[in-house]
Amino acid sequence: MTETLELPNGDTVSPEDVFLYNDYPYRLVWCDGDHAFELSPLYWGDSGMDVPFPDREALVDQWESDSRGLLTAEEWAGWLDDASDDPRFDDEEVAQLAAELPTEWEPDSESESGGGLRDRLGL
């Protein structure tokens, strides 16, 4: 049986689930050693950007209003729409996130830009 974690909003997640933490998709990673678990950003996982937690109480303390937990397919599609218009995300990142998120999403073909900040600045 897969070990699960109850998020502060009441959702229960396993390492296979993708959830919204601090307005970005993450997965749960159980740890051995100093930390009980880490939250690994879906696109940037294993890049040193994982967020370690010694216990669930520490996660509760850091749970912000833009952390929503599990989202529906429609909510993930809306998140991807927003991300594709956000200069913090380039097209490659959004495309890879779309491939992994539990939703059917197609980029808006009416978009004026290719997505990344350089494209938006005309560089």
Side-chain angles (χ1 to χ4, degrees):
M1 184 169 139
T2 303
E3 192 174 358
T4 61
L5 173 71
E6 183 181 348
L7 298 176
N9 70 339
D11 291 341
T12 300
V13 296
S14 72
E16 292 80 33
D17 297 314
V18 179
F19 53 92
L20 194 66
Y21 172 72
N22 287 347
D23 201 31
Y24 198 84
Y26 280 80
R27 281 203 167 103
L28 169 68
V29 177
W30 293 108
C31 299
D32 294 325
D34 294 340
H35 302 100
F37 61 91
E38 295 178 339
L39 301 187
S40 180
L42 194 57
Y43 180 76
W44 297 103
D46 294 328
S47 67
M49 296 178 68
D50 293 1
V51 183
F53 293 93
D55 53 36
R56 183 179 180 279
E57 290 75 31
L59 174 61
V60 170
D61 290 343
Q62 292 186 38
W63 192 260
E64 302 283 331
S65 62
D66 55 358
S67 299
R68 297 192 33 225
L70 297 170
L71 300 182
T72 66
E74 294 79 22
E75 289 170 323
W76 279 123
W79 186 90
L80 286 164
D81 285 338
D82 293 344
S84 68
D85 292 333
D86 188 325
R88 295 176 295 166
F89 306 108
D90 66 22
D91 290 342
E92 178 185 342
E93 182 176 359
V94 172
Q96 287 191 11
L97 289 168
E100 290 206 45
L101 289 172
T103 189
E104 297 293 323
W105 178 80
E106 291 294 325
D108 183 4
S109 60
E110 296 176 16
S111 174
E112 294 179 16
S113 153
L117 180 58
R118 293 179 57 87
D119 291 339
R120 290 166 198 214
L121 294 174
L123 302 175

